[in-house]
Amino acid sequence: MKNQESNTYYLEEAPIKKAIAHLSIPMMLGMSAGTIYNIINVYFIGLVHDTAMLSAIILGLPIFTILMAVGNIFGVGGGTFITRLVAKGEFEKAKGVAGYSFYCSILVSVLIAVIAYFAITPLIHLLGADDATFDYTKQYALTLFVGGFTIIWNFALEQIVRSEGASKESMYGMFISIVLSIIFDVLFILVLNWHVFGAALSMVLANIGSTIYYLWYLETKSEHLKGFLHHFKIDVKAQLEIYKIGVSELLQASFLIVTTLLLNNYAMDYGEHVVASFGIALRIVQLPEFFSMGLFFGIIPLLAYNFSNKNFTRLKAAIKQTAIYIGAISGIFITVSFIFREPVMQLFSNDAEVLTIGGYVLIAMLISALFNGFTGLFTGVFQASGEGVPTIIMAITQGVLFIPVIIVLHHFFGLYGIIWSMTITEVIACAIGFVLFLIYNKKINTSQLHSKLA
């Protein structure tokens, strides 16, 4: 029997509910706290009472999304592979994957910063900025791109830390980033009056703090990855294992950016108040969404470990229990958010138009959040199992579907079509994920039967 203090015990032997709690609760707390920080960040900018500044931060959201996705190429792709290697006892190879993922994230982050610096003006126009928001958006975007290496490192390392089931340590890193972000927000936005630049700089510096913590943990406390910085050479087959899962994160982010750009540009036709309404509603609805994300992100190492060890009974039990938790948590938080939507919206704006439109947008997004939790679970199952094709299908589906949905709905229903386009897309994506999961489950059942007969 494994030492009950070790992370491996929770992956391999602990009762399912206990294992899910150990792995997911820290993720839920960390991600929810991160959402609270995003809300506070908007709140601080809201105190300036400048709708153009608020809109600039919202327009710049795709930049953070793409930097996060690049980090997750190596974090999710490398992390799930590391878990499967650890399950097989291939610890040296796991160190090699961790080192390769870290050093590649450095190279890619530098490349992105250089490209963005020389293409910043057309990028700002592409984000949907108008004359009123252009300068603020450019300021925000440049700061994020130049300091984006910290965001990429943070997300890559956070996933690698979790690959061993070290969910508490992953949470500690998130909390470090959040605390630093709030401190820097107060200093830069309210004290020094750096406003939009201050909000971006705060994010960059906060990510440095959590990155330092993750490096310290991996090099001194990790069960299997100590010394990973001295390992970086892996064969082509191992590289493909990283990218076949990791590339789905980039695809998903790319399509998310396309959908955000479409949403921003359509919304800008109706004015800054509509853009601000979407931004505020999005940040509120992130709380129940991130609780669900904490659940399915948290169990990915559990799923990967037991898939690799062919413990399919434990694998299926973990998936079933997580689905129950996602349904319950999403339902509770969505109901509470719906009931108190008006007073919550008033925390961020006193603009009557923003409050009216934002309340309606929030209803549509709350419905999306319920389906989003299950869509994320399906994707997490495929990632953990190294199933590249269904993972990529799920990544592409949400983005590709949204384009015709928003175009058609906007044509026939105007602003209300824009508001409900995301909800309809999410429902269809969830249905596709369920069909792919049925195919996956059939394969698992067949493998389980063969194992019993062998």
Side-chain angles (χ1 to χ4, degrees), residues 220-232:
T220 62
K221 302 293 183 180
S222 171
E223 287 183 37
H224 307 295
L225 300 177
K226 288 179 185 177
F228 83 102
L229 290 175
H230 302 289
H231 298 72
F232 53 87

Side-chain angles (χ1 to χ4, degrees), residues 103-404:
Y103 289 114
C104 280
S105 70
I106 296 174
L107 293 174
V108 174
S109 63
V110 173
L111 182 62
I112 289 173
V114 172
I115 293 172
Y117 180 80
F118 289 105
I120 192 65
T121 297
L123 279 172
I124 301 307
H125 286 300
L126 188 63
L127 288 172
D130 59 9
D131 290 340
T133 58
F134 184 87
D135 289 338
Y136 291 134
T137 307
K138 183 176 181 179
Q139 206 175 62
Y140 187 76
L142 265 177
T143 308
L144 280 188
F145 275 127
V146 172
F149 66 93
T150 65
I151 298 170
I152 293 173
W153 287 352
N154 182 36
F155 279 93
L157 290 172
E158 187 264 327
Q159 299 284 354
I160 291 172
V161 167
R162 284 200 302 110
S163 67
E164 296 183 291
S167 53
K168 288 182 181 178
E169 289 73 16
S170 171
M171 178 186 69
Y172 297 154
M174 292 182 196
F175 281 148
I176 288 171
S177 178
I178 292 159
V179 171
L180 289 175
S181 293
I182 293 173
I183 292 171
F184 288 134
D185 266 351
V186 173
L187 176 63
F188 296 155
I189 298 174
L190 300 183
V191 178
L192 298 177
N193 294 319
W194 289 354
H195 301 154
V196 170
F197 168 68
L201 183 61
S202 168
M203 188 179 296
V204 169
L205 295 178
N207 275 276
I208 290 177
S210 53
T211 296
I212 291 171
Y213 169 75
Y214 289 139
L215 283 172
W216 171 81
Y217 170 79
L218 287 168
E219 281 294 287
T220 62
K221 302 293 183 180
S222 171
E223 287 183 37
H224 307 295
L225 300 177
K226 288 179 185 177
F228 83 102
L229 290 175
H230 302 289
H231 298 72
F232 53 87
K233 291 183 179 180
I234 57 175
D235 58 37
V236 174
K237 185 178 179 181
Q239 292 178 35
L240 290 176
E241 281 293 323
I242 294 172
Y243 292 120
K244 78 175 184 180
I245 298 300
V247 75
S248 68
E249 292 292 317
L250 185 60
L251 286 172
Q252 192 168 23
S254 299
F255 284 121
L256 180 60
I257 289 171
V258 172
T259 61
T260 303
L261 291 175
L262 275 172
L263 196 63
N264 286 345
N265 280 278
Y266 274 124
M268 282 301 293
D269 289 340
Y270 295 89
E272 293 174 11
H273 297 90
V274 173
V275 177
S277 299
F278 271 102
I280 293 171
L282 179 62
R283 278 161 172 76
I284 294 171
V285 84
Q286 277 180 341
L287 192 56
E289 281 186 347
F290 275 20
F291 264 94
S292 295
M293 288 174 68
L295 270 169
F296 61 72
F297 277 149
I299 67 158
I300 283 178
L302 176 65
L303 302 180
Y305 193 95
N306 288 284
F307 178 86
S308 184
N309 275 349
K310 300 187 184 302
N311 189 345
F312 299 124
T313 300
R314 184 172 175 81
L315 173 70
K316 290 193 290 185
I319 295 170
K320 180 181 178 181
Q321 191 62 50
T322 304
I324 293 171
Y325 287 153
I326 286 175
I329 290 172
S330 296
I332 292 169
F333 274 91
I334 288 168
T335 301
V336 172
S337 298
F338 175 78
I339 292 171
F340 296 102
R341 65 189 183 281
E342 291 184 11
V344 171
M345 290 289 296
Q346 289 171 356
L347 291 173
F348 306 99
S349 178
N350 56 7
D351 188 308
E353 290 186 64
V354 171
L355 294 175
T356 301
I357 299 169
Y360 191 82
V361 172
L362 183 59
I363 293 172
M365 287 191 174
L366 286 171
I367 297 172
S368 295
L370 178 61
F371 291 92
N372 179 265
F374 291 105
T375 302
L377 176 59
F378 296 140
T379 302
V381 170
F382 303 143
Q383 288 176 334
S385 305
E387 296 283 329
V389 174
T391 299
I392 291 174
I393 289 174
M394 290 302 296
I396 293 174
T397 296
Q398 288 168 293
V400 170
L401 272 176
F402 183 78
I403 297 171

Side-chain angles (χ1 to χ4, degrees), residues 13-72:
E13 297 179 11
I16 288 297
K17 290 183 179 180
K18 185 177 181 180
I20 292 174
H22 174 81
L23 294 167
S24 294
I25 289 177
M27 280 300 298
M28 291 166 67
L29 292 174
M31 296 188 76
S32 298
T35 305
I36 292 169
Y37 159 68
N38 285 332
I39 293 172
I40 292 171
N41 185 256
V42 174
Y43 173 75
F44 284 138
I45 289 295
L47 292 177
V48 182
H49 300 298
D50 189 322
T51 303
M53 286 186 184
L54 189 61
S55 296
I57 290 181
I58 294 161
L59 290 172
L61 182 61
I63 298 171
F64 179 81
T65 302
I66 197 68
L67 293 172
M68 177 182 70
V70 172
N72 281 337

